[in-house]
Amino acid sequence: MLGADPAAVAMAADILRAGGLVAFPTETVFGLGADATSDAAVAKIYAAKGRPAFNPLIAHVATRRAAEQQGIFSPQAVKLADVFWPGPLTLVLPLAAGASVCDLARAGLGSVALRIPSHPVAQQLLAVLGRPLAAPSANPSGRVSAVTAAHVREDFDGRIDAIIDGGVEVGVESTIVGCLTDDPVLLRPGGIPREAIEAVLGIKLGETAPGAAVNAPGMLAAHYAPRARLRLDALNLEPDEAGLDFGGRFAPGSKVLDLSPRGDLTEAAAHLFAYLRRLDETHSKIAVAPIPSEGLGEAISDRLRRAAVGAG
């Protein structure tokens, strides 16, 4: 357990730069933070939470300028940021050119969920870290969100690297608004009421249609689908196939990428989106080795099944 003094915050930032996990207070609930620019670090969030699918994560940033380096702001998004940031509002925006938030944090989508928290401890941590911080709520998937450091320690004792102590203010997650078109959409109610947002915009927020592609945390994600046709649970490679391997099942070669030669599911999760994209750039058929169903294997398999449905 770390305090909220400058030395403790600097120590937490060092842990994050090294790829570790740090829980920290925001004005909404405690967040479980990892370096949002690192697939390997973000994979540890999914492993620690037991998150069932690679839903996109919110990337927390310190300043508006930092947010503009990650997402493209429409006029409506500018209005909302002007009024509600810093604060419990997350904006889902088209990804900016040169953005550093990694594929895994975005669930492979061409959009990014951004927030500037107002909590002084979160602000200090982001300022010292100097990069986006992926941070879903600090609770195991399906459990109640944590609003005290004691809650976090109870849920994650021994499974994360540090907890910064401090209180929260709102106690519910941020409101999420999608600003991917000219018609902003309420993707998740939260700490800022719909009415306050609509008053600023001067229009009613849209709603997500059942079965629509979803691009916000806490919702069923519609993931990047490759052009290539995927063959899942493949035990061997056909001559015209590239291979997305796991645990060294396929013979190594120029058209085979192994998610984890040593069979580590956290490592496999970190490589999933990047390797799938690389193979998709040069091959029309991809054989995917069997993935174990336990732990993060469930999420990896879920992602691959969705990709297979939309592929080709």
Side-chain angles (χ1 to χ4, degrees):
M1 189 81 70
L2 299 176
D5 57 280
V9 171
M11 184 182 301
D14 286 341
I15 292 170
L16 291 165
R17 289 191 197 97
L21 298 182
V22 174
F24 63 99
T26 77
E27 72 274 20
T28 56
V29 297
F30 265 77
L32 181 59
D35 179 357
T37 69
S38 167
D39 286 307
V42 170
K44 294 179 182 179
I45 291 178
Y46 290 101
K49 284 178 65 73
R51 201 171 174 96
F54 294 135
N55 294 330
L57 302 178
I58 296 171
H60 296 66
V61 293
T63 66
R64 180 74 161 270
R65 181 178 180 183
E68 290 168 349
Q69 292 172 343
Q70 304 299 326
I72 299 171
F73 283 72
S74 66
Q76 295 93 334
V78 169
K79 288 181 181 180
L80 295 178
D82 284 345
V83 175
F84 296 115
W85 277 359
L89 175 69
T90 295
L91 298 177
V92 178
L93 307 171
L95 192 69
S100 61
V101 173
C102 68
D103 271 350
L104 191 58
R106 296 183 289 102
L109 299 171
S111 56
V112 62
L114 297 171
R115 183 164 96 83
I116 301 178
S118 62
H119 195 289
V121 173
Q123 280 278 316
Q124 292 172 42
L125 180 59
L126 286 162
V128 174
L129 181 63
R131 64 187 69 171
L133 185 59
S137 56
N139 56 281
S141 188
R143 296 282 298 276
V144 178
S145 296
V147 294
T148 69
H151 291 160
V152 179
R153 181 165 55 188
E154 178 183 340
D155 286 338
F156 290 106
D157 190 28
R159 292 194 287 147
I160 64 176
D161 299 290
I163 303 169
I164 302 177
D165 203 354
V168 302
E169 300 160 6
V170 178
V172 296
E173 290 85 353
S174 63
T175 303
I176 302 178
V177 176
C179 294
L180 298 173
T181 70
D182 292 334
D183 300 310
V185 175
L186 181 66
L187 298 176
R188 183 181 75 183
I192 296 178
R194 171 201 297 267
E195 294 79 8
I197 295 170
E198 291 178 341
V200 169
L201 293 174
I203 59 174
K204 294 288 187 181
L205 287 169
E207 304 286 348
T208 54
V214 176
N215 38 44
M219 306 174 74
L220 185 61
H223 295 294
Y224 164 83
R227 294 183 301 273
R229 186 176 302 279
L230 270 61
R231 181 168 66 91
L232 304 182
D233 296 320
L235 302 181
N236 58 279
L237 281 183
E238 299 294 337
D240 60 346
E241 291 179 323
L244 186 64
D245 203 1
F246 178 80
R249 174 174 292 275
F250 302 147
S254 60
K255 61 179 185 177
V256 173
L257 293 177
D258 197 325
L259 293 170
S260 176
R262 58 181 176 166
D264 183 293
L265 289 168
T266 301
E267 181 182 30
H271 289 155
L272 178 61
F273 290 111
Y275 282 13
L276 191 56
R277 285 178 184 271
R278 282 171 57 184
L279 292 175
D280 189 40
E281 288 172 357
T282 53
H283 298 85
S284 61
K285 295 181 181 179
I286 301 171
V288 182
I291 306 293
S293 59
E294 71 270 9
L296 278 181
E298 180 182 6
I300 294 169
S301 296
D302 173 83
R303 168 61 185 89
L304 289 167
R305 281 195 301 272
R306 296 177 189 282
V309 169

